[in-house]
Amino acid sequence: MIGETGYSLNRRKNTYVTPFPTRNPERANFEAGFSPVMAAVLRVIGNESKYYERNDQAVEEIIENGKFDQEPSKAAFANYLKNEMKEIENGNVYKFEQLKYIPFTETSKEAKGELMYFHFFYDLFIRQNIEEIQEIFSAVESQDLLSTIMNLTMVEQANFDEPAQYKQLFPFMQKQFVEDLRVLATNPTFLITNLEEFFVQYCYFALTQMIVQTNRYTKFNAEKPFPVVLFLNTESTQKWRDGYRYGYKLLKEEFRYFYAHEHVLNILGANTFADNGNWFYHDYATFFKEQGPEAEQQFVQSIYQWIEEVMAVRIDDVTPIPYKHQTLEEAFRDLVELVRLQVKDEVYSRYTKAFDMFLRRFYRKNGGSLGSLLAVSPKQLLTMIAVCVGPKNSRLELNYLWAELEKRGVFLDDQTKEEVVHLLDQLNYLDKKSDSGDAQYVKAIL
């Protein structure tokens, strides 16, 4: 049953849902792209702190202890080293191990927003597979002199040992991520230049599915992703297209009042039977299916009792809803609606802007009179096609490409598919159909 706790709009006490802040200064603006988040993930994978901080004193010691013929040589080396470090910290890397030296944004408040994304991504895709992912990355590391020096210039901090915050809601997605990462690592050069796009796509996939599926309450589907349709950002668009109806417009509506779910899931999490946190609506449905209808009805009744004895007492404009043997889903929906009305419009606005910032930075296409649209860039698309097809000398029948992309969150309508075929043909990644009518194949990009 729901515990007898005081009512407050409290998120992240029992359940972590999204990595979005409700305060503007803490919002990640992604001016440096997703690379600060990616770098923190790579540091932790390498058994280091999630933070990167340069030890300038160590830099000076390296320069002073170096053996130089003359002072001009020493000065030239010092200048080279500092310039290279600055370039790497700005994201201009050419070695895999250099990717981890990109710091969080210097603005401490915005860095908090990046940290939220780090925890979300790490918990969903890395934590449960850390040893396997370490093994994958160890095969692409090639320690050189500059990387050795960079390691010496890092301020020593404690290794990452924080407990999980977010729940892995989509096991199939996590499994696919690791498989794709292994394929991507077969081409270290491609990995270095496209790892950020790869991380962004899986983050987008997890966020959009979590939002859409949570809005389905007990009908949350953890195995079959809901199609959120993307345009290719180089193509023309029309209002009748699926990308307009089931893309940005759909997500905007799905997320409009999503903040209410954050609080309801935390209210429900103050129950007396769940040993661990991070339960979503479908988790309760699964639990009570095993416990039986009598236990489920007792829990439903306790929700309405909590509304009457706690929520309505503390908030004047809340009218209790009488218990009339409602279903579990009806109880959840009633509670969400009551909480939704208590959240101020400005909070919804700041919260939704945090998600919108992510979409605008990585998936926005200006549709003119159609407004903002959801679109994937050719580079993002080719990164995901690369892992769909597989390593060098692999090929994939074109007809199967679309299903493989959908496993990775890339849903396209028929018109966009034609644009993709044209793009692949232009780049010579497509085997032409023979006169005998054989199927077309997409060639390996890696």
Side-chain angles (χ1 to χ4, degrees):
M1 306 303 101
I2 297 182
E4 295 181 0
T5 59
Y7 173 74
S8 63
L9 291 179
N10 190 9
R11 63 187 295 219
R12 297 176 178 165
K13 183 177 182 181
N14 303 303
T15 306
Y16 276 74
V17 185
T18 70
F20 308 132
T22 56
R23 290 185 289 186
N24 181 25
E26 295 178 0
R27 187 184 305 149
N29 295 316
F30 301 108
E31 291 182 4
F34 206 69
S35 56
V37 179
M38 175 187 67
V41 171
L42 294 178
R43 286 192 290 273
V44 172
I45 291 172
N47 293 318
E48 297 167 2
S49 168
K50 62 187 176 183
Y51 298 103
Y52 167 72
E53 185 181 351
R54 189 204 307 164
N55 187 340
D56 289 322
Q57 183 178 350
V59 176
E60 296 301 327
E61 288 176 358
I62 290 170
I63 295 170
E64 288 300 322
N65 293 329
K67 296 180 179 180
F68 304 98
D69 297 336
Q70 307 173 43
E71 278 299 318
S73 298
K74 179 179 179 180
F77 175 75
N79 187 54
Y80 162 78
L81 179 58
K82 290 177 180 179
N83 284 339
E84 284 294 300
M85 292 175 67
K86 185 176 181 181
E87 285 293 304
I88 292 171
E89 289 169 9
N90 287 334
N92 300 318
V93 304
Y94 53 89
K95 293 277 188 180
F96 169 75
E97 49 273 13
Q98 294 172 352
L99 291 171
K100 68 180 182 181
Y101 299 118
I102 303 170
F104 287 118
T105 301
E106 291 184 3
T107 306
S108 60
K109 289 184 177 180
E110 187 177 337
K112 289 183 179 180
E114 294 171 342
L115 268 170
M116 292 180 194
Y117 277 94
F118 158 77
H119 284 286
F120 179 80
F121 192 92
Y122 183 82
D123 287 346
L124 264 66
F125 295 110
I126 308 297
R127 183 181 291 275
Q128 295 176 14
N129 302 283
I130 183 68
E131 292 182 0
E132 187 175 358
I133 292 172
Q134 285 173 335
E135 177 263 320
I136 292 171
F137 283 147
S138 67
V140 299
E141 292 177 348
S142 56
Q143 200 77 358
D144 59 0
L145 179 60
L146 182 59
S147 298
T148 301
I149 293 173
M150 289 290 290
N151 266 330
L152 294 172
T153 62
M154 287 183 66
V155 174
E156 287 193 17
Q157 295 174 331
N159 290 344
F160 181 81
D161 61 354
E162 299 174 31
Q165 295 180 356
Y166 296 91
K167 177 181 180 179
Q168 174 49 266
L169 295 166
F170 306 99
F172 81 92
M173 198 182 295
Q174 183 187 60
K175 181 181 178 182
Q176 191 68 62
F177 172 83
V178 177
E179 291 177 2
D180 288 349
L181 193 61
R182 189 175 293 280
V183 171
L184 201 59
T186 62
N187 187 329
T189 301
F190 191 90
L191 172 80
I192 293 165
T193 55
N194 294 274
L195 188 61
E196 181 179 356
E197 280 74 21
F198 179 73
F199 275 26
V200 164
Q201 175 58 30
Y202 268 99
C203 187
Y204 158 85
F205 194 17
L207 285 171
T208 53
Q209 291 304 312
M210 183 266 294
I211 290 165
V212 173
Q213 297 292 355
T214 301
N215 278 324
R216 272 65 184 155
Y217 291 87
T218 60
K219 298 177 181 64
F220 188 111
N221 193 326
E223 296 299 328
K224 185 178 180 181
F226 184 93
V228 179
V229 184
L230 292 156
F231 286 106
L232 187 61
N233 70 5
T234 55
E235 69 174 311
S236 58
T237 57
Q238 296 83 29
K239 195 171 185 178
W240 54 268
R241 297 273 300 277
D242 286 350
Y244 175 73
R245 293 180 293 175
Y246 306 117
Y248 183 83
K249 184 178 180 181
L250 178 144
L251 282 183
K252 187 176 181 180
E253 187 59 33
E254 290 280 338
F255 200 62
R256 187 178 179 185
Y257 296 116
F258 193 84
Y259 192 56
H261 287 302
E262 294 243 9
H263 298 298
V264 169
L265 290 171
N266 275 279
I267 291 168
L268 294 172
N271 60 67
T272 59
F273 52 82
D275 293 331
N276 53 357
N278 282 345
W279 279 36
F280 282 64
Y281 303 115
H282 62 293
D283 294 310
Y284 291 97
T286 300
F287 175 79
F288 284 111
K289 187 176 181 180
E290 297 173 353
Q291 298 299 311
E294 184 177 346
E296 179 176 323
Q297 279 302 308
Q298 287 179 356
F299 181 65
V300 170
Q301 187 172 5
S302 77
I303 291 174
Y304 290 97
Q305 184 178 353
W306 184 88
I307 291 172
E308 179 180 2
E309 297 179 0
V310 179
M311 190 176 183
V313 169
R314 293 177 64 89
I315 302 176
D316 294 335
D317 59 351
V318 171
T319 302
I321 302 172
Y323 170 65
K324 297 180 179 179
H325 298 279
Q326 289 92 334
T327 65
L328 187 64
E329 175 141 344
E330 287 172 337
F332 290 155
R333 289 180 180 273
D334 282 343
L335 187 53
V336 167
E337 180 60 17
L338 286 177
V339 171
R340 183 187 71 81
L341 296 172
Q342 302 309 314
V343 180
K344 296 180 180 179
D345 289 342
E346 54 265 32
V347 176
Y348 283 126
S349 177
R350 293 194 298 268
Y351 181 72
T352 55
K353 281 179 181 177
F355 181 42
D356 201 49
M357 186 65 72
F358 176 85
L359 295 178
R360 285 175 175 270
R361 176 60 180 82
F362 301 112
Y363 291 92
R364 181 181 180 272
K365 174 180 173 62
N366 187 345
S369 62
L370 301 183
S372 294
L373 301 172
L374 212 56
V376 63
S377 72
K379 186 180 182 184
Q380 288 169 303
L381 180 66
L382 289 171
T383 299
M384 302 315 295
I385 291 176
V387 294
C388 287
V389 176
K392 186 178 179 181
N393 298 324
S394 299
R395 66 176 190 166
L396 177 67
E397 188 174 329
L398 180 61
N399 289 336
Y400 295 143
L401 173 63
W402 318 120
E404 290 299 316
L405 284 171
E406 289 174 3
K407 290 179 185 177
R408 297 154 174 90
V410 182
F411 292 86
L412 310 170
D413 69 8
D414 290 341
Q415 289 74 23
T416 301
K417 289 175 184 177
E418 290 180 8
E419 293 290 332
V420 174
V421 172
H422 180 64
L423 175 65
L424 293 171
D425 191 24
Q426 279 186 319
L427 296 173
N428 196 30
Y429 288 134
L430 200 63
D431 276 336
K432 301 285 186 177
K433 185 181 290 185
S434 68
D435 294 336
S436 63
D438 293 338
Q440 284 181 296
Y441 287 87
V442 183
K443 295 185 285 189
I445 296 174
L446 294 171

